Amino acid sequence: KNQVEQSPQSLIILEGKNCTLQCNYTVSPFSNLRWYKQDTGRGPVSLTIMTFSENTKSNGRYTATLDADTKQSSLHITASQLSDSASYICVVSAYGGFKTIFGAGTRLFVKA
Amino acid sequence: DAGVTQSPTHLIKTRGQQVTLRCSPKSGHDTVSWYQQALGQGPQFIFQYYEEEERQRGNFPDRFSGHQFPNYSSELNVNALLLGDSALYLCASSLEWKTGGELFFGEGSRLTVL
């Protein structure tokens, strides 16, 4: 069964600190993995997209890693800011027809 | 370059009514997908349209139907509304539905069913 699981479910950190969010998937055959940021009540916005051959991809203070062997990905946020408070959703797509599976997301709260 | 636009942004309906939500895809995109997102949950795939046909469908009842027009815009219709249909409905557009192209989301339509 195609699944995407994210952890932790929620996280509270102090402004300026770093944090790492996890995503484990069983989607097959793997095509790509994306991380989205979703502010409350808004549509998700893409942060990174990685294919099978990519291990790391950065977008400013956001760095995503992918281990296709263990089917794990992480999103590392450096020097967090209050505006980073949002849900971060891991999305995995499979080849052979449209199969895109969403994780439930990690809710990040950055406090001053 | 206009992104994905959805309308209306908010609406309130009562049980048993019908609702139509609209979506215009990002310029150049030919594929539209609809998602339902309950509070605190990740988006759940409803269905996807490409070339005016429903190509894929998630685990949603027939009360949920859709349409894609020649200009690639799309509508989501929900009949016989239930309280549980209250959610944020997201539209996403992409290119090349078969290869899982990057999704660009609209801001969503917030539906409240009383």
Side-chain angles (χ1 to χ4, degrees):
Chain A
K1 181 180 178 183
N2 291 320
Q3 284 186 314
V4 176
E5 296 184 349
Q6 294 187 242
S7 62
Q9 188 173 21
S10 63
L11 181 63
I12 302 174
I13 62 173
L14 291 176
E15 186 179 13
K17 298 296 185 182
N18 304 333
C19 67
T20 300
L21 315 179
Q22 300 291 340
C23 173
N24 297 335
Y25 63 91
T26 58
V27 178
S28 181
F30 176 82
S31 172
N32 60 67
L33 183 147
R34 299 166 233 156
W35 283 93
Y36 284 85
K37 177 186 178 187
Q38 185 177 25
D39 293 316
T40 301
R42 308 291 297 275
V45 175
S46 179
L47 293 175
T48 64
I49 177 169
M50 289 186 292
T51 58
F52 185 87
S53 59
E54 296 175 298
N55 302 112
T56 303
K57 185 162 283 189
S58 292
N59 178 0
R61 295 180 296 103
Y62 301 100
T63 299
T65 65
L66 173 65
D67 186 334
D69 292 330
T70 61
K71 298 186 178 181
Q72 295 179 328
S73 176
S74 65
L75 180 69
H76 185 74
I77 303 175
T78 304
S80 61
Q81 300 176 357
L82 297 178
S83 60
D84 292 332
S85 294
S87 290
Y88 292 84
I89 304 173
C90 176
V91 181
V92 184
S93 292
Y95 276 115
F98 189 88
K99 286 182 184 177
T100 294
I101 311 298
F102 284 71
T106 291
R107 189 71 175 94
L108 175 66
F109 299 89
V110 180
K111 302 181 73 173
Chain B
D1 177 25
V4 179
T5 58
Q6 292 187 242
S7 63
T9 55
H10 296 82
L11 69 166
I12 300 174
K13 293 286 186 178
T14 56
R15 281 180 296 176
Q17 285 189 311
Q18 178 266 343
V19 68
T20 297
L21 308 178
R22 295 176 177 80
C23 172
S24 292
K26 178 179 171 64
S27 178
H29 284 186
D30 56 9
T31 303
V32 173
S33 305
W34 286 93
Y35 298 84
Q36 181 195 65
Q37 187 175 26
L39 203 61
Q41 302 294 318
Q44 298 295 313
F45 175 67
I46 303 175
F47 44 52
Q48 181 197 42
Y49 278 84
Y50 171 72
E51 291 187 337
E52 302 179 51
E53 288 189 20
E54 183 182 296
R55 300 291 179 165
Q56 297 277 342
R57 188 179 182 92
N59 189 26
F60 279 80
D62 292 343
R63 298 187 297 110
F64 289 78
S65 63
H67 188 78
Q68 186 179 33
F69 300 94
N71 66 354
Y72 306 119
S73 66
S74 177
E75 287 182 349
L76 164 64
N77 301 292
V78 187
N79 295 323
L81 285 168
L82 304 173
L83 295 179
D85 294 332
S86 295
L88 180 68
Y89 288 85
L90 294 166
C91 169
S93 72
S94 59
L95 199 58
E96 298 177 290
W97 69 282
K98 282 189 174 181
T99 61
E102 183 174 359
L103 298 169
F104 289 80
F105 286 87
E107 296 294 351
S109 293
R110 171 69 66 183
L111 171 64
T112 301
V113 182
L114 302 176

